[in-house]
Amino acid sequence: MNADSHTPAGVRLASRSGQFAQPTAGCAPGFIQANMMIVPQAQAFDFLLFCQRNPKACPLVEVLGPGQLEPACAPGANIATDLPGYRVYRDGVFAEERADISALWQGNFVTFLIGCSFSFESAVMQAGIPLRHVEQGRNVAMYRTNLACTPAGIFQGPMVVSMRPIKSRDVAKVVEVSGRFPLAHGTPVHIGNPEAIGIHDLAQPDYGDAVEILADEIPVFWACGVTPQAVAQASCLPLCITHAPGKMFVTDILG
């Protein structure tokens, strides 16, 4: 991890210049990171309603106006250039991953910034609870579940969760610490048996990187801001642009 990863502006500017293209877990400790969903204005109200009906998976940090590129949560930033990676979905199908979406930008695009669980990780580690994906410089493991989101308009589909192995003795503490961060998904949605939420193989995440779970550890699952990507596919949304999983927009907001 380079020096540019220690401040929000450093991550954004390094992403803009193409010098930073890795997951943002562990970057800019103490600052709110955000998942991103961009939809045409015609679908924006329904997606806003979807977020309001599913606050655990989609806690809203900010909604930008049509065509707006500079968010209030990061003055001087550019939504089209300042993430380490973007994904484009067309008709519900993942079409491409890009480092920059300036060439795709349209004046009717509405951007939603959605809280990310990376934002509570520094507090968890400060509480003495290690996080293996951060220690190993890997992306967090993410899985589609059988937990259905509450539909809104054309938006419907499954919740995606992130998983972190936590030692049994630390589970109560990690629930308490993460619960202080409602904009970062708050408390876990499930603890223990992954099959109960439709996950059959923790070694095969749908997004991100698998990590080892030791004998004295329990898998703990948080709602994840990658949920809109699964929903875009399930809803066959004609067009949307999201962050690449694990590659967040880093805001100037202290968590």
Side-chain angles (χ1 to χ4, degrees), residues 8-179:
V11 175
R12 296 194 301 264
L13 291 174
S15 299
R16 185 184 301 182
S17 65
Q19 297 175 13
F20 190 91
Q22 64 199 59
T24 54
C27 293
F31 289 89
I32 295 292
Q33 298 194 28
N35 304 271
M36 187 189 70
M37 178 75 159
I38 298 172
V39 300
Q41 188 174 2
Q43 284 85 43
F45 176 78
D46 281 351
F47 189 70
L48 177 62
L49 188 59
F50 179 84
C51 292
Q52 291 177 330
R53 289 178 177 175
N54 298 278
K56 198 74 170 169
C58 299
L60 284 173
V61 174
E62 185 177 345
V63 182
L64 281 66
Q68 182 181 346
L69 287 165
E70 180 181 357
C73 64
N78 186 325
I79 286 296
T81 61
D82 292 0
L83 280 73
Y86 300 81
R87 282 191 167 185
V88 181
Y89 292 86
R90 299 183 187 277
D91 297 318
V93 177
F94 169 55
E96 60 176 323
E97 191 159 318
R98 301 172 67 99
D100 182 312
I101 57 167
S102 298
L104 302 179
W105 192 257
Q106 298 178 23
N108 68 340
F109 279 171
V110 176
T111 301
F112 294 81
L113 295 176
I114 296 166
C116 171
S117 57
F118 288 173
S119 301
F120 64 62
E121 290 183 336
S122 59
V124 168
M125 292 185 288
Q126 287 171 9
I129 302 171
L131 296 175
R132 189 159 298 119
H133 69 286
V134 176
E135 293 177 338
Q136 296 179 349
R138 310 185 81 186
N139 201 351
V140 72
M142 294 163 273
Y143 307 84
R144 293 189 192 92
T145 71
N146 60 11
L147 303 173
C149 294
T150 302
I154 67 169
F155 294 96
Q156 54 84 30
M159 181 186 291
V160 174
V161 295
S162 60
M163 186 280 295
R164 294 160 182 82
I166 304 295
K167 290 187 181 298
S168 303
R169 66 172 184 265
D170 290 332
V171 168
K173 185 185 292 185
V174 82
V175 170
E176 189 273 327
V177 172
S178 62

